[in-house]
Amino acid sequence: MLMSMTIPFIQKYDVEIQWPKKMYITVYEKPVIGYIRYMGCNMFFDKDGIVVESDAKLTEGVPEIKGLHFDHIVMHEQLPVENPEIFKEILKVTQLFGKYEISADKIYFSPAGEVTAYFDKARVSLGTDQNIDEKVMQLASILPELAGKSGVLHMENYDASTTKITFQPE
């Protein structure tokens, strides 16, 4: 008899039984796309905004997500934000960062739909999701030049025809 159960941080699992001596279990974890700080803990969530883990430690490559507003958190349930569609935007941005091997410390999503990514002392203002693919692709080539610098890289109005991107030192 094959049992089915739901485990919050598991995307799926496969069970193969080679009777009578072997059993193989393959577990696929849900990918974590970000975390928020809540009551001194890091609350990691998946693409649907479901809180899958709470840990004092950080996970390398998983950015802190800022700009989400909620009044409570329930483990293994979706973060109770005003607009759950924000999780699609978070997924899109974090997947693009992954595609171009960009690792942000934190990413801020404003109520107006603007995105700002933080890398050490530098901020990158990406604006809205208009042309976000091109912006992130260009950002990947610019990031090495920002190492150790403090300031804001303005990419809000970037598109494929843009020849000038400004960096405002602080």
Side-chain angles (χ1 to χ4, degrees):
M1 175 169 66
L2 188 59
M3 291 180 35
S4 176
M5 69 172 119
T6 303
I7 303 171
F9 52 88
I10 301 297
Q11 185 166 342
K12 71 176 191 168
Y13 57 91
D14 295 325
V15 178
E16 180 185 338
I17 300 173
Q18 294 182 350
W19 192 256
K21 295 186 180 193
K22 294 182 183 179
M23 178 188 294
Y24 297 97
I25 301 174
T26 306
V27 178
Y28 303 91
E29 286 187 275
K30 282 186 179 179
V32 173
I33 64 167
Y35 75 92
I36 47 115
R37 298 272 309 144
Y38 184 74
M39 296 180 63
C41 286
N42 302 312
M43 309 299 276
F44 295 88
F45 60 91
D46 69 7
K47 66 181 180 62
D48 299 313
I50 295 173
V51 179
V52 296
E53 185 178 358
S54 170
D55 199 333
K57 297 180 202 168
L58 296 178
T59 301
E60 189 173 330
V62 178
E64 180 179 10
I65 304 298
K66 301 292 248 178
L68 301 179
H69 300 285
F70 48 87
D71 58 4
H72 68 282
I73 291 179
V74 177
M75 287 296 296
H76 312 301
E77 290 187 14
Q78 188 178 59
L79 288 167
V81 296
E82 189 174 304
N83 180 10
E85 293 296 309
I86 188 68
F87 299 117
K88 289 180 184 175
E89 187 64 28
I90 294 169
L91 177 63
K92 182 178 182 178
V93 171
T94 57
Q95 283 181 329
L96 281 170
F97 278 24
K99 176 180 178 180
Y100 294 104
E101 299 179 357
I102 295 173
S103 184
D105 298 326
K106 56 185 156 181
I107 305 171
Y108 172 71
F109 293 83
S110 80
E114 296 177 330
V115 179
T116 303
Y118 294 78
F119 303 89
D120 194 24
K121 300 175 195 168
R123 290 191 322 267
V124 178
S125 182
L126 294 165
T128 63
D129 70 347
Q130 184 176 6
N131 301 315
I132 193 74
D133 296 35
E134 291 89 357
K135 292 174 186 178
V136 173
M137 183 173 65
Q138 186 65 31
L139 174 61
S141 64
I142 295 172
L143 266 180
E145 298 174 36
L146 294 180
K149 293 183 180 174
S150 180
V152 181
L153 180 68
H154 291 279
M155 297 186 74
E156 300 94 325
N157 300 314
Y158 180 84
D159 64 27
S161 66
T162 304
T163 57
K164 184 178 178 185
I165 298 172
T166 59
F167 180 74
Q168 181 180 4
E170 291 181 334

